[in-house]
Amino acid sequence: MTPKEVLDFAKKNKTKMVDLKFLDFPGIWQHFSVPLHEFDEDSFEGGFGFDGSSLRGWQPIHASDMLVIPDADTVVMDPFMAVPTLSVICNVVDPITKEAYSRDPRNIARKCENYLKFTGLADTAYFGPEAEFFIFDDIRFDGGSNFAFYEIDSVEGIWNSGRAESPNLGYKPRHKEGYFPVSPTDSQQDLRTEMVLVMEQLGMEIECQHHEVATAGQAEIDMKFQPLVKMGDQLMWFKYIIKNVAKRNNKTVTFMPKPLFADNGSGMHTHVSLWKGGVPLFAGDKYAGLSREALYAAGGILKHARALCAFTNPTTNSYKRLVPGFEAPVNLAYSSRNRSAAIRIPMYSASPKAKRLEFRTPDPSCNGYLAFSAILMAVIDGIENRIDPGEPLDKDIYGLSPEELADVPSAPGSLEESLNALKEDHEFLLRGDVFTSDVIEKWIEYKTEGEVNPVRLRPHPHEFMLYFDI
């Protein structure tokens, strides 16, 4: 839309308020709202001011003033506000220089798309994330110097099979058996469909929805692939819609990778492909129908995977899912059809348009703009430097002997380990000024001081079970 078309759209929908959305450094949507009479065509150049020092990982207090500049192409009516509210995603700029802010994740994604075009390798990178999540009925958590606890509940949780529910009807998915029985065992079909319908109301293309493997309401809704920045925008709407639809149904949603012990965690298998002039570049006559470029792209992802995890698996909880010997793809190899490999080549369709890489290590706690950009920079590096991914691993990785596994590299075992990998391996991210040294340094600093150290310093409740009587 043009700015004038946005204003006409607002009037047509009887808009009273305009909600300005933008992303903080870790990946949570922030917003503030202005009455429609404060929003005009000049707003798309002059923007609106806010305090950048109050956001995690952003400005110091002595340089706090920042601007959000609305992106006219992102305008929709917010589906959850009681008063008609126009929602627009914004870019963040410096109010003095008017330059895009280096730590704005959306700016990094925009630079990444531009850099891809600059290389001449392709003009479009498509991303299709499969973000899993849990729908719970109750969550309580707290902690102090002398206590810590969390307690999750779900009417679907197998632990409630013996609870007096007056009556307890018994249809509760057993651990690892939620993929995917029909109702009444799957009690959330209508809720997920409601989420899909709201997404489609906003113009998002949805491919399917279903219950996932775990008990207690693990779910997945799949979006059709989109270009990098657009998919970054959609992933934010995806989380926003799912959480708010759940809330109005008296449910709560988490995208934590591993909220439950002894059952599957939530991953975000991420499909990626390159196109140029409307032609898919990853289809060819090599292994699994891939092109040479696609194999090099896989080589780039595998080479940089340990550093990528600092963005694709960016929480301490991420590494409760990425544990060797269990379901998550921690082994850095590629294969057709084999879901135990970090990179899978889906074989559902023989169409060249469907040929893509599926990077299975990421999880939905990530900041999509940063994760997709980092993956694309690894893909570009792989193609430009002809990085050989080695031989495919078509065996069941979980059935390999220790001797066979010794030659298969593994994903980091902790957030601290992935941040250390990023310290050692980030030059590929700096090309084209996509990621800056400031962004890398601040990400490592924020994650270490704000997440790694606070978790490391606190006793874990299970340690009392293990050690109290020592």
Side-chain angles (χ1 to χ4, degrees):
M1 293 188 192
T2 65
K4 183 181 184 305
E5 288 171 337
V6 170
L7 296 177
D8 291 342
F9 177 79
K11 291 174 183 176
K12 177 182 176 181
N13 287 279
K14 300 179 180 179
T15 298
K16 301 295 183 185
M17 298 293 291
V18 178
D19 198 48
L20 306 161
K21 293 181 171 70
F22 60 102
L23 203 67
D24 69 5
F25 202 37
I28 302 295
W29 246 356
Q30 310 295 313
H31 78 133
F32 61 94
S33 302
V34 299
L36 183 61
H37 61 71
E38 292 295 312
F39 190 76
D40 56 28
E41 291 188 43
D42 292 338
S43 301
F44 292 90
E45 291 189 9
F48 297 87
F50 72 99
D51 176 9
S53 67
S54 295
L55 293 175
R56 297 177 297 171
W58 275 23
Q59 291 292 87
I61 197 167
H62 64 272
S64 60
D65 289 352
M66 303 292 288
L67 289 175
V68 291
I69 306 295
D71 182 340
D73 290 331
T74 67
V75 166
V76 294
M77 296 302 295
D78 192 296
F80 299 105
M81 301 297 105
V83 173
T85 300
L86 188 83
S87 178
V88 57
I89 298 174
C90 300
N91 298 312
V92 181
V93 305
D94 184 283
I96 306 300
T97 66
K98 297 299 174 69
E99 291 182 356
Y101 183 42
S102 65
R103 296 183 198 168
D104 174 13
R106 193 168 192 264
N107 172 45
I108 292 169
R110 290 160 62 212
K111 288 192 293 182
C112 193
E113 281 193 326
N114 290 333
Y115 180 65
L116 174 65
K117 294 173 183 176
F118 172 79
T119 65
L121 297 175
D123 52 42
T124 307
Y126 284 113
F127 285 85
E130 299 175 2
E132 298 167 346
F133 54 97
F134 279 89
I135 304 169
F136 294 136
D137 289 288
D138 190 62
I139 174 67
R140 296 185 299 121
F141 51 89
D142 201 358
S145 63
N146 65 323
F147 75 101
F149 82 95
Y150 69 90
E151 187 169 345
I152 295 166
D153 204 8
S154 165
V155 69
E156 275 199 0
I158 189 60
W159 56 83
N160 284 323
S161 61
R163 183 172 67 176
E165 294 181 347
S166 302
N168 187 325
L169 301 179
Y171 293 104
K172 305 178 191 300
R174 288 176 285 272
H175 288 296
K176 300 182 182 296
E177 293 188 22
Y179 189 90
F180 26 59
V182 298
S183 61
T185 302
D186 177 2
S187 68
Q188 297 174 343
Q189 168 72 13
D190 288 339
L191 180 59
R192 295 192 306 270
T193 293
E194 183 180 342
M195 294 168 178
V196 168
L197 294 179
V198 175
M199 292 178 192
E200 291 186 332
Q201 175 188 328
L202 268 61
M204 298 167 62
E205 295 184 70
I206 305 302
E207 294 183 333
C208 71
Q209 60 93 340
H210 59 83
H211 203 289
E212 257 298 340
V213 173
T215 187
Q218 191 182 32
E220 178 175 318
I221 298 174
D222 293 340
M223 297 176 280
K224 186 175 181 179
F225 62 87
Q226 298 293 345
L228 193 159
V229 172
K230 185 173 182 179
M231 183 51 78
D233 293 344
Q234 282 197 180
L235 186 59
M236 297 313 301
W237 274 113
F238 180 88
K239 292 184 175 183
Y240 180 76
I241 290 167
I242 286 172
K243 290 177 180 179
N244 279 283
V245 169
K247 183 175 183 293
R248 73 186 183 192
N249 285 274
N250 206 31
K251 305 277 189 180
T252 188
V253 160
T254 183
F255 289 90
M256 279 179 66
K258 190 69 173 179
L260 295 181
F261 169 65
D263 214 332
N264 281 40
S266 292
M268 191 180 78
H269 306 152
T270 300
H271 300 254
V272 58
S273 64
L274 297 186
W275 292 55
K276 188 173 185 179
V279 176
L281 301 182
F282 278 8
D285 59 0
K286 306 301 179 185
Y287 173 80
L290 293 176
S291 65
R292 189 178 301 277
E293 288 78 13
L295 289 173
Y296 291 147
I301 292 174
L302 294 175
K303 176 182 177 180
H304 300 296
R306 292 175 60 81
L308 291 179
C309 284
F311 293 110
T312 62
N313 305 79
T315 67
T316 59
N317 186 252
S318 297
Y319 299 87
K320 301 295 191 294
R321 168 181 170 262
L322 290 184
V323 178
F326 293 88
E327 294 291 333
V330 300
N331 295 291
L332 302 179
Y334 74 102
S335 175
S336 67
R337 304 180 67 183
N338 189 345
R339 294 172 186 265
S340 62
I343 296 178
R344 182 175 77 101
I345 298 92
M347 303 298 289
Y348 298 124
S349 172
S351 170
K353 294 181 179 180
K355 193 56 64 179
R356 61 200 186 273
L357 302 179
E358 179 191 9
F359 186 26
R360 297 176 62 81
T361 306
D363 69 56
S365 68
C366 71
N367 178 329
Y369 297 106
L370 298 183
F372 301 153
S373 297
I375 292 169
L376 180 53
M377 293 302 288
V379 164
I380 292 172
D381 185 57
I383 296 173
E384 288 190 327
N385 290 293
R386 297 174 172 266
I387 298 174
D388 185 354
E391 293 299 316
L393 191 56
D394 290 331
K395 300 178 182 179
D396 178 3
I397 292 176
Y398 303 122
L400 295 181
S401 67
E403 292 75 19
E404 291 174 301
L405 272 176
D407 295 327
V408 181
S410 181
S414 68
L415 178 57
E416 183 178 18
E417 195 177 329
S418 71
L419 293 172
N420 287 334
L422 181 61
K423 284 182 188 177
E424 299 299 320
D425 178 23
H426 60 259
E427 289 299 320
F428 72 101
L429 296 171
L430 303 180
R431 292 171 191 158
D433 200 40
V434 175
F435 288 79
T436 63
S437 295
D438 169 69
V439 165
I440 301 297
E441 291 166 7
K442 190 63 181 181
W443 185 260
I444 293 170
E445 175 192 311
Y446 172 79
K447 287 289 175 178
T448 301
E449 295 181 2
E451 300 177 28
V452 172
N453 288 343
V455 171
R456 181 163 49 191
L457 289 168
R458 283 167 169 77
H460 189 285
H462 195 64
E463 291 177 315
F464 287 84
M465 177 72 72
L466 296 173
Y467 308 127
F468 186 77
D469 59 348
I470 289 176

